[in-house]
């Protein structure tokens, strides 16, 4: 196939086993991954290579920039060009941008103006003082677009800025975490779901529902998990003593950062039971600015749509994922993989994110799912050591 030939002619790089769906380069500490060219004409490449589906591979960096537009819809070349070149960043506010894992889709909008252009719609519900005003893709809460972006209000033509993220988990969740990290059950057209939210502004300093003056910029990084329940503060920089005292250090993966886990029962001394594992994992730019690079939402079963008959789990991981997500167009907001195995078995397994003892138990079907959100262009800025050195001394052995 055209995609298969494209892969064979362009890719010859190593891949982290837990994220074998996409290529990365292993680099020595302190050596940044070179950013993909800003001169790529996404629209022209889409039309030239595949019409409506294409993958653009930058040889020098091993980063895939996929022309995957909105979940459940065909890519729109004009919209892809718009999102990739304008309106997707705001340097005056934190976070200045929101990126997907390895930039396999255009950046998420961080202003209400960009959100409107990208098909997000403010929904008719009161402003949440902990998170802001809720916006949904195409104005619809659905299984295939299971994330809500929260923004401050637009004031007299000044766009609002992103102030929160909420992910809806349809189907299985860890019931023990309801009321601390997961919301109570809610119902939408696709069935019952529970939500996990992240607040990106300190409400002690900012009024997220102020309709009289625009939200001030210059804010520090702020990440609070489930602010209306556990209100767990996620340190914004890796050198914060709170991180080491309450979280367990994991591995550093190129284009993501160093992963840290915590347990609702035992903190950094993980029980490795899914019923106790806090469903947010932060990642830090350890060999760069030390700041939080992003987080992933974790689910303890398969959340990604997958056509196993059309796209069996065989062959190269890239071809498997491309078959399901870009040819069959099945994929939703969850990361583009069939899931990460609970067991330490390639090509996709959760323990690749961990260091030291890792014997998880309790997933519904033997799989985890992840949904990454990055607060910087981690694919271009976050480097890590290679091989076993991805786990620092004292963190435990790499998997």
């Amino acid at each position: 196939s055209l995609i298969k030939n494209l892969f064979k002619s362009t890719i010859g790089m190593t891949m982290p086993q837990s994220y074998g769906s996409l290529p990365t380069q292993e680099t020595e500490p302190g050596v940044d991954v070179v950013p993909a060219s800003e001169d790529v004409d996404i629209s022209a490449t889409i039309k030239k290579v595949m019409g409506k589906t294409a993958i653009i591979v930058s040889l020098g960096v091993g980063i895939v920039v996929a022309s995957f537009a909105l979940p459940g819809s065909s890519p729109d070349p004009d919209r892809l060009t718009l999102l990739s070149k304008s309106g997707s960043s705001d340097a005056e506010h934190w976070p200045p941008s929101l990126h997907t894992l390895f930039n396999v889709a255009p950046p998420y909008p961080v202003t209400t103006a960009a959100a409107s252009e990208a098909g997000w719609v403010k929904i008719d519900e009161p402003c949440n003082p902990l998170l802001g005003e809720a916006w949904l893709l195409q104005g619809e809460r659905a299984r295939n677009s299971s994330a809500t972006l929260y923004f401050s209000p637009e004031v007299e033509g000044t766009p609002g800025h992103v102030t929160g993220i909420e992910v809806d988990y349809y189907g299985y969740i860890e019931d023990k975490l309801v009321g601390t990290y997961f919301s109570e059950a809610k119902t939408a057209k696709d069935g019952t779901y529970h939500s996990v939210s992240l607040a990106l502004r300190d409400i002690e300093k900012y009024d997220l529902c102020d309709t009289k003056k625009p939200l001030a910029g210059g804010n520090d990084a702020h990440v609070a998990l489930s602010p209306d329940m556990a209100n767990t503060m996620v340190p914004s920089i890796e050198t914060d003593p709170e991180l080491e005292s309450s979280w367990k250090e994991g591995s550093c993966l190129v284009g993501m950062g160093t992963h840290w886990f915590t347990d609702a029962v035992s903190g950094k001394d993980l029980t490795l039971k899914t019923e106790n594992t806090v469903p947010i994992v932060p990642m830090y730019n350890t060999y760069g600015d030390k700041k939080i690079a992003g987080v992933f939402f974790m689910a303890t079963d398969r959340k990604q749509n997958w056509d196993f008959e059309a796209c069996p789990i065989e062959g190269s991981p890239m071809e498997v994922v491309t078959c399901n997500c870009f040819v069959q167009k099945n994929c939703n907001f969850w990361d583009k993989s069939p899931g990460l195995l609970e067991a330490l078995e390639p090509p996709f397994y959760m323990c690749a994110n961990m260091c030291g003892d890792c014997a998880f138990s309790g997933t519904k079907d033997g799989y985890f799912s992840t949904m990454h959100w990055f607060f910087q262009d981690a694919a271009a800025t976050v480097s890590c050591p290679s091989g076993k050195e991805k786990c620092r001394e004292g963190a435990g052995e790499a998997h």
Side-chain angles (χ1 to χ4, degrees), residues 365-387:
D365 52 13
Y367 280 86
F368 292 90
S369 297
T370 57
M371 186 191 295
H372 286 71
W373 296 76
F374 289 98
F375 309 130
Q376 57 179 267
D377 187 359
T381 60
V382 176
S383 61
C384 291
S386 60

Side-chain angles (χ1 to χ4, degrees), residues 234 256 258 281-285 291-296 372-376 378:
V234 180
M256 289 176 265
T258 301
V281 175
M283 295 158 285
Y284 295 84
N285 193 351
K291 295 179 180 178
I292 188 168
V295 301
F296 70 66
H372 286 71
W373 296 76
F374 289 98
F375 309 130
Q376 57 179 267

Side-chain angles (χ1 to χ4, degrees), residues 3-125:
I3 291 178
K4 185 173 182 179
N5 291 335
L6 180 63
F7 288 152
K8 285 184 176 180
S9 65
T10 58
I11 297 172
M13 306 168 192
T14 59
M15 301 179 233
Q17 289 297 307
S18 63
Y19 299 94
S21 59
L22 297 165
T24 67
Q25 266 183 325
E26 290 182 335
T27 62
E28 294 301 320
V31 180
D32 288 345
V33 179
V34 179
S37 171
E38 296 179 357
D39 297 325
V40 174
D41 187 337
I42 296 177
S43 179
T45 306
I46 292 169
K47 293 174 182 176
K48 179 179 179 181
V49 179
M50 293 194 66
K52 285 192 175 183
T53 304
I55 291 184
I56 305 162
V57 181
S58 177
L59 284 172
V61 299
I63 298 171
V64 171
V65 181
S67 63
F68 190 69
L70 304 176
S73 66
S74 298
D76 178 341
D78 293 333
R79 176 171 289 170
L80 289 173
T81 301
L82 174 69
L83 287 176
S84 63
K85 294 185 177 180
S86 67
S88 59
S89 65
D90 183 353
E92 293 183 7
H93 295 259
W94 188 91
S97 56
L98 284 175
H99 297 262
T100 58
L101 180 62
F102 298 126
N103 290 327
V104 297
Y108 289 109
V110 293
T111 68
T112 53
S116 293
E117 292 175 347
W120 293 74
V121 178
K122 184 174 75 170
I123 61 175
D124 185 19
E125 65 179 38

Side-chain angles (χ1 to χ4, degrees), residues 6 46 79 91 142 148 162 175 177-178 188 193 203 224 256 260 280 282 287 305 339 356 375-376 385 390 398:
L6 180 63
I46 292 169
R79 176 171 289 170
T148 303
V162 68
D175 289 335
L177 297 177
V178 172
Y193 66 93
I203 62 169
M256 289 176 265
W260 290 76
I280 286 287
Y287 299 97
N305 303 324
F375 309 130
Q376 57 179 267
K390 69 181 183 179

Side-chain angles (χ1 to χ4, degrees), residues 150-235:
Y150 287 87
F151 295 89
S152 60
E154 181 175 329
V155 179
E156 296 181 351
T158 300
H161 195 274
V162 68
T163 50
I165 301 167
E166 187 171 75
V167 171
D168 299 333
Y169 289 60
Y170 286 83
Y172 183 78
I173 63 158
E174 298 297 336
D175 289 335
K176 190 176 177 180
L177 297 177
V178 172
T180 51
Y181 294 103
F182 286 96
S183 71
E184 298 294 333
K186 309 172 190 176
T187 303
K189 72 178 186 68
D190 289 340
T192 300
Y193 66 93
H194 298 257
S195 302
V196 176
S197 61
L198 280 182
L200 302 180
R201 286 278 177 145
D202 185 348
I203 62 169
E204 298 297 324
K205 299 178 180 178
Y206 299 93
D207 180 355
L208 306 187
C209 298
D210 190 347
T211 59
K212 295 182 178 179
K213 60 181 180 180
L215 186 68
N219 56 303
D220 295 328
H222 176 88
V223 181
L225 170 56
S226 302
D228 59 337
M229 293 177 285
N231 195 30
T232 299
M233 299 304 302
V234 180

